[in-house]
């Protein structure tokens, strides 16, 4: 069984952390992953930087620009990760935009992921229908889970369709926004979280966008299976470097 | 083969809607409604009236006698430079503002490079009393001050794009992010035949008035609807899409798309996307785009701010791949010379974008009997500074 599905069976609220590969320094990737696992994170999203990250706010944009300036590429990332499964056992997901993957070659990209032991991909600008028609077979061939997003504006019909074709979990975007722009959740989000929970979908939901601390993590996981922190962690790395990652993580779970 | 968009939003292998799920409802709403709205009689009535009374259409199809004599062929100029606000851009913004109104939107956003599309959007927003926010790269704001002032006078808010290379592609990213953040009340007026389906088709349809008029006007001048050649410059490709539109399936009409070669195609300072670009995804569309080997989008260069976009519209990628259109690239120097020549021969100061199209007459020999229509997409007032500096006038 894919490590993601195994993890989803655990009887607890899951914490996932996103970071941009190649930031703050080009060779920080492996140590960030190892430290996150040691700190008790449940799974990790490794951001493959892109020059034009449409769905991201200023924090992740800036970290992507820096990572590219540092020399990060798909090739470099795969090289850094080649022995990662010797030290790390939690699920690893690569999150990135479609164009760099296309240039690497989709099949090649999937093959590399499988060799390394990557469990899934999140590709915000690869639409569900295009994936379903053109790439599903190759993802499945290499045992990769492709994670889809839903938002507060996603129609019921579409949510049900996404649930049907999803393996693993559904990435539930907390509000109509790019990453890193929310500070607190209000009643609107709570209603939305509950509305989705009441649908009793087959795929567990993990909430992302706008989770930055213990309070928002708690709110986000009141109904959902887990939550993802991205911008807040990237900001922490920008300010503190890679030392004391465990301090950040323990601050979330308190 | 058809050169028009198919039901799924593709031109051959190009196009589609590669958008984050957050944009799906916005784009879907537009896709489900744009054709319906455009076919409504009340829409058509208002659109046609505004094109006539406000934009100043039809624009003349002018026989350029002295230019024709020089190049020993029959040259007609489609005078889009005479449109209100100085370029063809307003054909599209008039259409889209009416679509936005029909969809009940109360706020409009747009991206702009040189500022022409920003001005055209600010203009129609003022006309309709709709809130307008224009994203513009920080670097472009500094080098296009007069257009920034115009937009402000017209009541628009100009927001600097501070990310990435701080030019047109980043302004487009910022506009898309704004749309993600404001999915319900906002319409995004894209300025070219780029972006996710249905934008390339919708913008091409609004610009198609150009070739619709050429057909009628050429009939009067030459007693034939179809010229031998249509020439237009391509950045994203909206004026070319409009000039080609009604000729796409008329295979006897040769289409020439002119790209900016900047300092030379292989100089590293160029915007010749069809030649330098590879298949990829930019701003929600699968097309040809300039990028690194690793798939990072690179910054193009041209002396003309309207042509330095790293992609081309998916229609044009298809016309290139299928060889329906001939693509020619023109350097800064060739374009500037051709621009000045039109001033001297015809008393018309062209936009530097359009000057790229004019430079084709120095690159390619036409027959004396050929009827060549060149889409003069904009006027050169906005480029005076560049002309002055370049020629030390």
């Amino acid at each position: 069984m894919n490590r993601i599905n195994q993890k989803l069976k655990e009887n607890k609220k899951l914490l996932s952390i996103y970071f941009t590969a190649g930031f703050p320094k080009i060779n920080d990737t492996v140590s960030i992953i190892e430290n996150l696992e040691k700190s008790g994170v449940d799974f990790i999203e490794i951001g493959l930087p892109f020059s034009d990250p449409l769905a991201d706010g200023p924090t992740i944009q800036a970290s992507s620009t820096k990572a590219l300036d540092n020399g990060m590429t798909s090739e470099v990332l795969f090289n850094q990760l080649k022995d990662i499964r010797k030290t790390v056992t939690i699920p690893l997901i690569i999150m990135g935009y479609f164009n760099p993957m296309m240039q690497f070659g989709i099949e090649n990209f999937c093959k590399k992921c499988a060799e390394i032991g990557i469990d899934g991909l999140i590709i915000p600008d690869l639409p569900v229908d295009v994936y379903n028609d053109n790439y599903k077979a190759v993802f499945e061939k290499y045992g990769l889970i492709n994670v889809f997003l839903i938002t507060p504006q996603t129609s019921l019909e579409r949510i049900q369709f996404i649930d049907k074709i999803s393996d693993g979990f559904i990435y539930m975007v907390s509000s109509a926004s790019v990453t890193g722009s929310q500070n607190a959740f209000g009643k609107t989000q709570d209603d939305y979280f509950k509305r989705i929970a009441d649908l009793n979908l087959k795929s567990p939901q993990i909430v992302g966008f706008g989770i930055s601390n213990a309070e928002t993590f708690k709110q986000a996981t009141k109904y959902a299976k887990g939550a993802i922190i991205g911008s807040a962690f990237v900001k922490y790395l920008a300010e503190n470097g890679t030392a004391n990652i465990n301090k950040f993580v323990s601050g979330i779970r308190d | 083969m058809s050169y028009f968009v198919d039901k799924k939003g593709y031109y051959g292998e190009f196009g589609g809607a590669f958008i984050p799920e957050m944009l799906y409802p916005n784009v879907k709403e537009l896709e489900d409604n744009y054709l319906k709205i455009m076919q409504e009689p009340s829409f058509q009535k208002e659109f046609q009236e505004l094109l006539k009374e406000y934009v100043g259409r039809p624009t003349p199809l002018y026989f350029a006698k002295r230019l024709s004599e020089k190049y020993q062929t029959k040259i007609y100029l489609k005078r889009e430079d005479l449109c209100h606000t100085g370029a063809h851009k307003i054909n599209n913004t008039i259409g889209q503002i009416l679509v936005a109104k029909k969809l009940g939107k109360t706020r409009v956003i747009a991206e702009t490079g040189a500022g022409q599309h920003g001005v055209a959007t600010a203009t129609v927003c003022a006309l309709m009393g709709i809130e307008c926010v224009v994203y513009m790269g920080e670097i472009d704001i500094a080098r296009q001050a007069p257009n920034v002032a115009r937009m402000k006078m017209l009541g628009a808010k100009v927001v600097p794009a501070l990310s990435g290379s701080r030019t047109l592609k980043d302004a487009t990213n910022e506009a898309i992010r704004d749309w993600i953040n404001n999915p319900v009340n906002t319409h995004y007026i894209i300025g070219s035949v780029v972006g996710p389906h249905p934008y390339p088709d919708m913008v091409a349809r609004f610009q198609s008035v150009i070739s619709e008029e050429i057909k009628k006007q050429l009939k009067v001048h030459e007693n034939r609807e179809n010229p031998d050649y249509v020439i237009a410059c391509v950045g994203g490709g909206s004026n070319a899409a409009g000039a080609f539109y009604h000729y796409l399936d008329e295979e006897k009409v040769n289409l020439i798309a002119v790209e900016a070669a900047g300092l030379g195609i292989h100089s590293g300072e160029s915007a010749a996307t069809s030649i330098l670009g590879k298949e990829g995804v930019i701003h929600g569309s699968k097309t040809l785009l300039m990028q690194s080997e690793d798939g990072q989008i690179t910054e193009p260069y041209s002396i003309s701010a309207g042509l330095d976009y790293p992609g081309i519209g998916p229609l044009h990628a298809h016309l290139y791949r299928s060889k329906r259109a001939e693509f020619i690239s023109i350097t800064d120097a060739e374009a500037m010379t051709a621009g000045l020549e039109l001033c001297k021969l015809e008393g018309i100061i062209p936009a530097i974008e359009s000057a790229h199209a004019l430079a084709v007459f120095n690159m390619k020999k036409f027959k004396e009997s050929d009827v060549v229509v060149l889409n003069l997409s904009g006027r050169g007032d906005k480029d005076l500074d560049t002309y002055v500096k370049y020629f030390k006038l």
Side-chain angles (χ1 to χ4, degrees):
Chain A
M1 185 191 273
N2 187 298
R3 274 176 284 254
I4 294 172
N5 283 322
Q6 218 143 21
K7 178 59 85 175
L8 289 165
K9 285 187 176 166
E10 289 181 15
N11 186 25
K12 64 170 185 179
K13 299 294 184 183
L14 303 177
L15 172 62
S16 174
I17 297 279
Y18 167 96
F19 74 99
T20 306
F23 177 87
K25 299 216 178 64
I26 181 85
N27 288 320
D28 286 338
T29 314
V30 171
S31 93
I32 291 174
I33 293 172
E34 289 175 351
N35 279 305
L36 284 171
E37 178 171 51
K38 275 187 213 136
S39 311
V41 162
D42 294 298
F43 50 99
I44 297 171
E45 286 167 32
I46 305 162
L48 178 65
F50 181 45
S51 55
D52 295 77
L54 288 182
D56 286 301
T59 305
I60 293 179
Q61 285 170 41
S63 69
S64 302
T65 304
K66 183 79 199 310
L68 293 172
D69 287 347
N70 287 344
M72 184 50 71
T73 65
S74 306
E75 190 80 56
V76 169
L77 178 62
F78 286 138
N79 278 331
Q80 290 177 344
L81 295 177
K82 69 181 190 309
D83 293 325
I84 197 72
R85 283 303 175 198
K86 289 183 181 156
T87 53
V88 172
T89 61
I90 59 173
L92 297 175
I93 295 172
I94 289 184
M95 181 165 187
Y97 290 81
F98 191 51
N99 197 53
M101 297 178 190
M102 236 179 117
Q103 302 314 316
F104 199 87
I106 299 299
E107 169 126 29
N108 258 343
F109 197 94
C110 291
K111 190 163 168 250
K112 274 279 181 194
C113 286
E115 280 168 18
I116 288 163
I118 297 294
D119 305 289
L121 291 165
I122 303 174
I123 312 167
D125 59 343
L126 175 61
V128 182
D129 54 327
V130 177
Y131 168 78
N132 216 24
D133 293 348
N134 303 312
Y135 302 112
K136 191 165 186 268
V138 67
F139 275 55
E140 283 174 356
K141 177 175 163 193
Y142 292 102
L144 294 169
I145 286 178
N146 191 30
V147 177
F148 300 112
L149 278 58
I150 62 168
T151 80
Q153 271 75 38
T154 309
S155 69
L156 175 63
E157 191 191 356
R158 193 163 166 86
I159 291 172
Q160 283 164 340
F161 169 67
I162 288 172
D163 184 41
K164 199 176 119 202
I165 66 162
S166 283
D167 189 4
F169 63 92
I170 289 177
Y171 191 129
M172 200 170 137
V173 176
S174 67
S175 49
S177 71
V178 295
T179 56
S181 45
Q182 199 88 20
N183 292 317
F185 292 134
K187 187 173 180 317
T188 320
Q189 269 89 29
D190 199 65
D191 290 349
Y192 160 61
F193 297 156
K194 181 156 189 325
R195 172 165 65 86
I196 301 300
D198 287 346
L199 295 175
N200 291 313
L201 302 174
K202 82 168 168 56
S203 323
Q205 301 101 52
I206 308 279
V207 180
F209 289 41
I211 296 122
S212 58
N213 51 28
E215 194 194 339
T216 41
F217 179 76
K218 206 171 154 201
Q219 285 174 315
T221 54
K222 188 167 146 195
Y223 305 104
K225 179 67 188 166
I228 303 160
I229 297 179
S231 298
F233 182 63
V234 171
K235 204 175 275 173
Y236 182 87
L237 288 177
E239 286 160 8
N240 303 282
T242 54
N244 305 321
I245 283 177
N246 63 329
K247 235 169 95 186
F248 179 87
V249 177
S250 60
I252 304 297
R253 275 244 169 90
D254 54 8
Chain B
M1 187 190 294
S2 171
Y3 300 100
F4 293 95
V5 77
D6 69 18
K7 280 204 178 88
K8 288 185 144 181
Y10 284 81
Y11 299 86
E13 61 198 294
F14 300 109
F18 291 79
I19 45 166
E21 189 62 32
M22 291 81 100
L23 281 179
Y24 182 83
N26 315 26
V27 171
K28 179 85 175 133
E29 180 186 33
L30 197 60
E31 189 191 347
D32 288 346
N33 290 291
Y34 81 110
L35 290 176
K36 236 185 292 172
I37 290 174
M38 286 173 71
Q39 280 155 12
E40 284 171 20
S42 63
F43 175 92
Q44 275 304 323
K45 184 168 177 285
E46 198 174 1
F47 182 53
Q48 297 304 339
E49 265 174 27
L50 283 169
L51 288 185
K52 181 164 179 274
E53 306 293 341
Y54 189 71
V55 176
R57 303 204 72 90
T59 58
L61 182 70
Y62 164 71
F63 176 64
K65 188 160 169 282
R66 298 188 68 207
L67 196 67
S68 298
E69 273 164 16
K70 166 142 197 208
Y71 291 103
Q72 297 288 298
T73 190
K74 282 180 137 173
I75 302 170
Y76 285 89
L77 302 176
K78 181 60 175 162
R79 298 290 308 275
E80 291 301 296
D81 59 315
L82 296 177
C83 289
H84 178 41
T85 72
H88 70 290
K89 289 287 181 192
I90 197 159
N91 303 328
N92 169 48
T93 59
I94 291 269
Q96 285 204 48
I97 198 79
L98 295 178
V99 169
K101 268 177 62 182
K102 293 265 182 193
L103 290 173
K105 306 294 177 183
T106 55
R107 178 174 177 270
V108 156
I109 54 172
E111 83 295 335
T112 196
Q116 289 305 103
H117 173 60
V119 168
T121 304
T123 298
V124 298
C125 286
L127 181 68
M128 297 294 168
I130 287 182
E131 181 189 350
C132 179
V133 178
V134 179
Y135 288 91
M136 189 169 184
E138 195 186 26
I139 289 177
D140 290 333
I141 287 181
R143 60 185 181 189
Q144 306 288 342
N147 272 343
V148 176
R150 281 188 189 103
M151 288 185 269
K152 287 183 179 164
M153 287 176 73
L154 293 160
K157 186 176 163 203
V158 181
V159 181
L162 304 171
S163 60
S165 50
R166 293 171 290 146
T167 58
L168 175 58
K169 84 175 171 71
D170 310 285
T172 309
N173 292 338
E174 288 306 329
I176 291 174
R177 287 175 190 128
D178 180 307
W179 212 21
I180 289 175
N181 289 326
N182 299 285
V184 181
N185 69 340
T186 298
H187 176 70
Y188 176 19
I189 299 189
I190 293 185
S192 193
V193 287
V194 302
H197 177 68
Y199 278 102
D201 184 50
M202 180 169 67
V203 176
R205 283 169 189 265
F206 286 136
Q207 293 295 357
S208 71
V209 63
I210 299 172
S211 48
E212 192 184 315
E213 288 176 4
I214 294 173
K215 282 199 155 191
K216 285 183 201 151
Q217 293 166 321
L218 205 58
K219 182 86 185 157
V220 175
H221 285 286
E222 293 283 335
N223 198 28
R224 56 193 268 200
E225 287 190 337
N226 295 353
D228 297 296
Y229 292 89
V230 181
I231 306 176
C233 62
V234 173
S238 68
N239 93 78
F244 294 169
Y245 196 85
H246 291 286
Y247 295 119
L248 287 171
D249 283 343
E250 308 266 8
E251 303 264 0
K252 281 192 180 151
V253 179
N254 298 290
L255 308 176
I256 299 179
V258 185
E259 290 182 310
L263 301 182
I265 292 175
H266 300 293
S267 64
E269 299 289 334
S270 174
T273 308
S274 64
I275 295 164
L276 299 171
K278 277 186 307 181
E279 227 169 87
V281 169
I282 182 172
H283 300 141
S285 181
K286 189 171 169 194
T287 186
L288 296 169
L289 62 123
M290 291 169 59
Q291 51 185 312
S292 70
E293 206 160 296
D294 187 48
Q296 310 300 337
I297 297 170
T298 51
E299 188 59 17
Y301 162 80
S302 163
I303 194 166
S304 147
L307 298 182
D308 63 356
Y309 182 68
I312 47 174
L315 162 67
H316 296 297
H318 182 47
L319 295 179
Y320 177 75
R321 192 54 68 79
S322 65
K323 300 195 163 56
R324 171 68 186 94
E326 179 184 357
F327 279 66
I328 293 178
S329 37
I330 295 294
T331 62
D332 288 359
E334 291 160 347
M336 295 305 282
T337 306
L340 196 60
E341 183 180 79
L342 190 74
C343 303
K344 302 255 159 86
L345 285 180
E346 298 288 350
I348 298 169
I349 303 176
I352 297 173
E353 290 80 3
S354 319
H356 282 73
L358 289 160
V360 164
F361 293 113
N362 280 315
M363 303 282 288
K364 188 178 168 81
K365 183 82 189 118
F366 296 92
K367 286 197 294 241
E368 221 173 313
S369 58
D370 281 340
V371 172
V372 182
V373 173
L374 184 145
N375 197 37
L376 199 71
S377 56
R379 69 178 87 129
D381 304 33
K382 69 180 175 63
D383 297 319
L384 277 193
D385 222 32
T386 313
Y387 276 121
V388 167
K389 278 189 193 130
Y390 191 86
F391 291 111
K392 304 195 171 55
L393 298 168

